[in-house]
Amino acid sequence: MYRTSRTLIASFIVVASLVPSAVLARDVPAPVPPDDAELAFVIDVIDGDTIRVDRDGGNAERVRYIGIDTPEIAHQPSETDEPWGPEATDVNEDLVRDRLVLLERDVSDTDRYDRLLRYVWVETEGGWVRVNGELVARGLAEVHAYEPDTRHHDWFSQLRQEAIDGGEGMYGDRPEAEDDAAENLLESILDLIGWD
């Protein structure tokens, strides 16, 4: 059974019925959360791939989604939003803000910024949705294999290919040659700094 307090479980049952159904990729089977996933309440959405949660009734913790990277949004007046950053953040908010979610751990507990590293699940009218994958399926997140946390990398890669084929999100605005050049440049940079 999921580790949590009785109060959170009771709240989860009520809130889960209020979450709108997500639209997952058609050709990839929808997963289900593991039995050891941990219940948490989302108190803030920082951007497309980072949220703040309460796991124990009073302690706010940042959670970074495993396996994906969304375009950045401006957090300071001197910064500007990256293309598709606000859209990724909005979808993330629609899916999880002020809702109970399940947190699935891979190998690492935290990253170098002391953020929890997790796959984040939310129950919708259509069943369980892994939010990390939903953002990829909508063309709002890139897929990255950050070792050693790669349990669902192949599934995310399938979702990404469907998003490209369907022209979803950021894959619908650019010509294919430009997409390939941008992807190759990003992969080269990630290889250079040892993130991929």
Side-chain angles (χ1 to χ4, degrees):
M1 187 65 188
Y2 307 116
R3 296 173 288 162
T4 188
S5 70
R6 289 182 183 178
T7 305
L8 280 176
I9 291 174
S11 299
F12 185 63
I13 292 168
V14 172
V15 174
S17 63
L18 304 175
V19 179
S21 180
V23 182
L24 273 175
R26 297 165 299 284
D27 298 334
V28 180
V32 294
D35 289 339
D36 63 349
E38 191 174 13
L39 194 59
F41 182 75
V42 179
I43 56 178
D44 191 21
V45 173
I46 296 171
D47 57 27
D49 54 30
T50 310
I51 58 177
R52 190 171 287 116
V53 302
D54 181 353
R55 294 189 293 172
D56 60 9
N59 186 23
E61 300 171 279
R62 290 180 303 154
V63 175
R64 174 65 163 83
Y65 294 174
I66 297 174
I68 70 165
D69 189 32
T70 61
E72 296 299 323
I73 60 168
H75 293 286
Q76 302 293 329
S78 60
E79 299 174 341
T80 57
D81 294 332
E82 293 182 358
W84 295 99
E87 291 84 353
T89 302
D90 289 347
V91 168
N92 197 19
E93 285 200 19
D94 289 345
L95 288 169
V96 302
R97 184 188 265 300
D98 298 328
R99 296 195 172 100
L100 289 161
V101 296
L102 293 173
L103 305 177
E104 175 189 353
R105 183 175 168 175
D106 200 327
V107 175
S108 306
D109 186 42
T110 60
D111 65 9
R112 62 184 171 176
Y113 305 108
D114 292 324
R115 299 175 297 188
L116 297 172
L117 294 173
R118 299 293 189 270
Y119 303 103
V120 177
W121 296 84
V122 65
E123 191 170 24
T124 70
E125 295 167 1
W128 286 101
V129 171
R130 187 184 291 131
V131 179
N132 317 46
E134 181 71 9
L135 290 163
V136 173
R138 293 188 189 197
L140 299 172
E142 283 292 345
V143 176
H144 295 293
Y146 299 113
E147 295 289 345
D149 304 293
T150 58
R151 180 183 306 150
H152 302 299
H153 178 72
D154 291 345
W155 186 74
F156 291 155
S157 295
Q158 287 179 280
L159 291 174
R160 179 181 181 273
Q161 189 58 55
E162 278 199 9
I164 291 170
D165 293 346
E168 301 293 334
M170 61 183 150
Y171 304 116
D173 277 357
R174 299 184 305 185
E176 188 173 321
E178 188 178 329
D179 283 346
D180 291 343
E183 181 181 335
N184 291 339
L185 176 61
L186 180 60
E187 289 298 322
S188 297
I189 292 169
L190 291 174
D191 286 342
L192 181 66
I193 60 177
W195 279 17
D196 199 0

